[in-house]
Amino acid sequence: MDPYSAEGELINIHSHFHQGQYSEVVGFDTSALSPENEVAARVLGYRARIAQGQAEDVLAEVEGETSEPEFAAVSALADFALGHEEDAVQAVEALASSPAADNQTVQVLGGVVLQAAGKSDDALALLSKHSGSLDAIALITQIHLQQNRTDLAVKEVVAARRWAQDSLLVNLAESWVGLRQGGEKYQQAFYVFEELAQAPATSSILTLVSQAVCELHLGRVEEAQSALEQALQKQPDYADAIANLLVLTVITGKDPSELTSSLKKSAPQHPLLVDLEEKSDLFDKAASKFSAKVAA
């Protein structure tokens, strides 16, 4: 039986992770799990702790277990989170060129590291080795969306929907794609994220921000602001909430300088800040080619 299926032992801890409920993942009682599912549960716990900013502790805990491919992949992910990009990529590339490349954890965590390092083709090559992994399919979908290949992302989701109709991950992936497609898909994505964000059993900072993004696309600025403020009440330095509130502030014609400063403090290399800096540099270069002409 698939441990992540509706009848599987790991369905709840797996769902908590992908809903962004990292504290629930870390505190999940694994004492009754079958031996064959213990490693997968530990990996989810380590990933949740890395997401909570505990990468250094995780790295120390798996230090003596990296002969196992799952924990070698966890070590690489923790290394990357700590800013050791070169070491992390080298570790993943070594795993990808070994028999460990057939390991689902290596595929998914290695794919995360490679994509974050800008190696999309290598990430997709590793992920393509998966055998019915919804985690791999979800990551492949995200990579295609980042590549502006919505057509390929749609194919992944449609194929997964045929055999995993009721999967949370498929619903999420379908919603990510819908936000790129636009139109009536915005509303469909909103229904998914709003249900998760507003139900006490599934609410998290991640789902609140996702709901807010949908609200923004639907032109519901006040509702988007409310969801983002709820997220920031839970975690004031949550970078994606700050970034989206910054975008909302610009849309409404208000001064974003305070939020820009907050984002720089919280996440100096946030994609929004990097993109803004690149665009500013391009503008300056273009402007330098022209000189003002003063009429006599």
Side-chain angles (χ1 to χ4, degrees), residues 54-64 74-76 78-79 82 84:
Q54 301 175 29
E56 194 167 349
D57 292 338
V58 169
L59 196 60
E61 288 184 29
V62 301
E63 186 177 5
V74 168
S75 178
D79 246 343
L82 291 169
H84 309 150

Side-chain angles (χ1 to χ4, degrees), residues 123-285:
L124 289 171
L126 179 58
L127 288 162
S128 69
K129 301 176 185 292
H130 82 88
S131 179
S133 166
L134 286 175
D135 288 75
I137 289 169
L139 184 52
I140 290 169
T141 301
Q142 288 188 340
I143 293 172
H144 285 322
L145 290 173
Q146 289 183 38
Q147 294 176 320
N148 290 317
R149 289 302 308 270
T150 306
D151 56 323
L152 297 179
V154 169
K155 287 182 180 179
E156 287 291 333
V157 174
V158 169
R161 177 63 75 187
R162 294 194 187 104
W163 58 272
Q165 290 188 9
D166 300 323
S167 166
L168 169 68
L169 261 183
V170 174
N171 287 338
L172 291 174
E174 198 168 57
S175 299
W176 302 332
V177 173
L179 287 171
R180 182 60 60 87
Q181 292 174 310
E184 64 182 17
K185 300 291 186 180
Y186 287 146
Q187 189 66 41
Q188 293 173 14
F190 167 75
Y191 288 140
V192 171
F193 290 123
E194 192 266 348
E195 181 177 358
L196 292 172
Q198 298 306 318
T202 56
S203 183
S204 70
I205 302 170
L206 179 62
T207 53
L208 282 165
V209 172
S210 299
Q211 177 191 337
V213 170
C214 295
E215 302 274 23
L216 278 174
H217 280 299
L218 290 164
R220 301 198 287 249
V221 176
E222 291 183 4
E223 291 85 347
Q225 182 170 343
S226 176
L228 290 171
E229 287 174 350
Q230 287 182 60
L232 289 171
Q233 285 175 3
K234 293 175 180 286
Q235 185 177 328
D237 63 348
Y238 189 63
D240 284 342
I242 298 171
N244 280 283
L245 191 56
L246 192 160
V247 171
L248 184 152
T249 300
V250 172
I251 289 173
T252 55
K254 298 176 183 176
D255 182 7
S257 56
E258 184 177 344
L259 286 166
T260 302
S261 297
S262 296
L263 186 57
K264 287 179 179 178
K265 182 179 179 181
S266 174
Q269 296 302 312
H270 191 278
L272 177 61
L273 295 176
V274 172
D275 188 52
L276 287 172
E277 187 171 348
E278 289 176 352
K279 297 294 191 299
S280 179
D281 289 343
L282 288 171
F283 179 83
D284 290 342
K285 288 178 182 177

Side-chain angles (χ1 to χ4, degrees), residues 59-90:
L59 196 60
E61 288 184 29
V62 301
E63 186 177 5
E65 300 183 87
T66 52
S67 59
E68 299 295 328
E70 292 89 351
F71 301 124
V74 168
S75 178
L77 181 64
D79 246 343
F80 190 90
L82 291 169
H84 309 150
E85 180 175 322
E86 185 175 348
D87 291 342
V89 170
Q90 287 179 355

